[in-house]
Amino acid sequence: DDARPPGRGSDLDEFAGRRKVFLGVGVTEMDRVSIMREPRGLAVRLTQRVCSDAPPLNGVLSGRCYYQNLPSIVVSHVLDPQPGEVVADLCSAPGGKTTHIAALMGGRGLVVACDNSKKRAAEVAFTVRQQGAGHCILPLFMDSTKSPLDADATEAHSPEDARKLLLRMVDEVRQSREETDDESPPRPFTLKGLPRQSFDRILLDGPCSALGRRPRLEHACTMKELQNYCSMQRGLLWSAVQLLRPGGTLVYSTCTVNPLENEGMVSYALNKYPELQLVAAEPRFGDEGLAGFGLDDEQRRMVQRFNPASLDTIGFFLAKFVKRAQI
C-alpha cells in the first residue's frame, strides 16, 4: 500500500480559487453539518489515496454524460416516455431531465422543453446542443402557466388534430430560423402557445421551496412564501391538465420536503381534476408519502418521497397521474 499517511486538516482559505479534488477512501471525522460550516479542521481522514491530485469531474465526457441525483433519474423512468411520443417538460431548466427523457425515447419523437426565464431557457438550449439532442428536443422560452391555446382559435377539436397542429407549428418555427454555426450561442425558440390535448406525457417538475436541496445550512423562507409556491404549482397543474391528451401520463415532482407542496398538491389535483387518476409511481426507490395531508393509505403508497434522513439523497417527491377523460 503506497498510500500516504493521513495529514492534518487544511484551512479552506488556502484552496480558494483552486480546483483540487482528492480521490481515495477515508473516514469522516466531522458530521455533515460541521463539514459544511467549519472553516478549518480535519473533515475526512484519508486512509487510501488513489490519486494525489485528481482533476475536477466537471466537463469530463462532456456531451456524452450528464450528472444527476438519484431522484432526478427516477423521475424520467417513472414518466416512461416511449419512442415516437410527444412529451412536454413544462419547467425544464437546466435540461438534465429533458435530455434524459429524449434518451429514453431513443431520440425518436418530440420533447417540448419550456421555461419562463429566457436565461434558463438558453441553458436548456445549451444542454440540448451539448447532448446532441436538438433533432428531437425543442427548447422554448415560454411561461407554461399561459401556454394552452384556446381550442376554438386553433380549430383543433380532437387530440389527433391537436397533435398534428403542434407538429406543424414545430416544423414551421424550426424552418424559420436560419442555420447558424455550432460555435454560436444556442438560443431557445418561441411559440404563441401550445395546443390543448396534444401531449402524450408531461413532466411537471415545477418551482418549489427547494427545502430538499443539500448541502444547505440555512433556508430563510416564510409561510407566505411557501403558500406562493403552492399557488404557482396549482397554475402549472391547470396547464398540464389542459395540454395532456386523454389517456396520457402526468408526473409531478418537486425537490422539497414540504408536504403542502407534495402530498397536499396531489390531494388538490385529485379533488380539482376528477379526470386525473393517481397510479403507482414505478420503478420505486423512495418511501411512501406522509399521512395527514389529504391522501389515504393506498394513495400514500403510490407516491414516492425521498427523505434525506432515511435515504442518502436530496429531499424529493414525485407522483404519477393518468388522465382518464376529456375536460
Side-chain angles (χ1 to χ4, degrees), residues 61-75:
L61 296 178
S62 176
R64 301 188 65 181
C65 63
Y66 191 96
Y67 303 103
Q68 289 182 291
N69 289 295
L70 173 63
S72 299
I73 297 172
V74 173
V75 164

Side-chain angles (χ1 to χ4, degrees), residues 116-164:
N116 67 348
S117 162
K118 193 169 186 178
K119 180 180 179 180
R120 291 197 300 269
E123 292 177 1
V124 176
F126 174 82
T127 302
V128 169
R129 176 186 288 183
Q130 186 183 54
Q131 297 295 313
H135 63 288
C136 62
I137 299 177
L138 185 77
L140 282 182
F141 169 40
M142 175 181 289
D143 183 350
S144 292
T145 62
K146 303 175 183 178
S147 60
L149 293 171
D150 184 76
D152 293 330
T154 61
E155 298 184 356
H157 300 293
S158 70
E160 292 75 19
D161 291 341
R163 180 189 180 101
K164 291 177 182 177

Side-chain angles (χ1 to χ4, degrees), residues 75-103:
V75 164
S76 299
H77 285 281
V78 170
L79 185 65
D80 193 27
Q82 300 299 309
E85 290 186 330
V86 178
V87 181
D89 186 350
L90 295 186
C91 305
S92 59
K97 297 182 186 69
T98 304
T99 50
H100 188 195
I101 290 170

Side-chain angles (χ1 to χ4, degrees), residues 55-236:
L57 293 178
N58 292 333
V60 174
L61 296 178
S62 176
R64 301 188 65 181
C65 63
Y66 191 96
Y67 303 103
Q68 289 182 291
N69 289 295
L70 173 63
S72 299
I73 297 172
V74 173
V75 164
S76 299
H77 285 281
V78 170
L79 185 65
D80 193 27
Q82 300 299 309
E85 290 186 330
V86 178
V87 181
D89 186 350
L90 295 186
C91 305
S92 59
K97 297 182 186 69
T98 304
T99 50
H100 188 195
I101 290 170
L104 293 176
M105 296 167 65
R108 301 190 300 276
L110 173 66
V111 182
V112 176
C114 305
D115 205 280
N116 67 348
S117 162
K118 193 169 186 178
K119 180 180 179 180
R120 291 197 300 269
E123 292 177 1
V124 176
F126 174 82
T127 302
V128 169
R129 176 186 288 183
Q130 186 183 54
Q131 297 295 313
H135 63 288
C136 62
I137 299 177
L138 185 77
L140 282 182
F141 169 40
M142 175 181 289
D143 183 350
S144 292
T145 62
K146 303 175 183 178
S147 60
L149 293 171
D150 184 76
D152 293 330
T154 61
E155 298 184 356
H157 300 293
S158 70
E160 292 75 19
D161 291 341
R163 180 189 180 101
K164 291 177 182 177
L165 175 59
L166 174 63
L167 295 177
R168 187 165 64 248
M169 292 168 63
V170 171
D171 287 340
E172 290 175 354
V173 74
R174 279 177 167 166
Q175 293 173 6
S176 66
R177 176 169 294 183
E178 296 181 0
E179 293 294 330
T180 58
D181 191 283
D182 285 344
E183 295 300 321
S184 62
R187 295 175 293 139
F189 294 86
T190 57
L191 286 175
K192 60 182 179 180
L194 301 169
R196 302 183 186 218
Q197 304 186 76
S198 58
F199 290 94
D200 300 301
R201 300 176 194 264
I202 294 178
L203 173 60
L204 174 48
D205 184 56
C208 69
S209 55
L211 294 176
R213 297 185 65 180
R214 67 177 198 181
R216 174 174 285 172
L217 301 180
E218 180 183 8
H219 189 105
C221 188
T222 65
M223 182 57 67
K224 183 177 180 180
E225 289 173 328
L226 293 180
Q227 293 170 347
N228 288 339
Y229 283 115
C230 291
S231 178
M232 285 188 289
Q233 290 153 2
R234 292 189 186 104
L236 287 163

Side-chain angles (χ1 to χ4, degrees), residues 208 230 233 252-268 293 295 303 305 316-319:
C208 69
C230 291
Q233 290 153 2
Y252 172 83
S253 64
T254 72
C255 61
T256 185
V257 295
N258 176 24
L260 297 178
E261 301 174 71
N262 296 336
E263 292 86 355
M265 199 56 57
V266 173
S267 177
Y268 166 84
F293 293 91
L295 302 182
V303 304
R305 169 178 279 270
F316 205 87
F317 178 88
L318 62 94

Side-chain angles (χ1 to χ4, degrees), residues 43-61:
V44 178
R45 178 168 52 85
L46 206 60
T47 59
Q48 181 178 0
R49 182 169 298 186
V50 178
C51 181
S52 60
D53 192 3
L57 293 178
N58 292 333
V60 174
L61 296 178

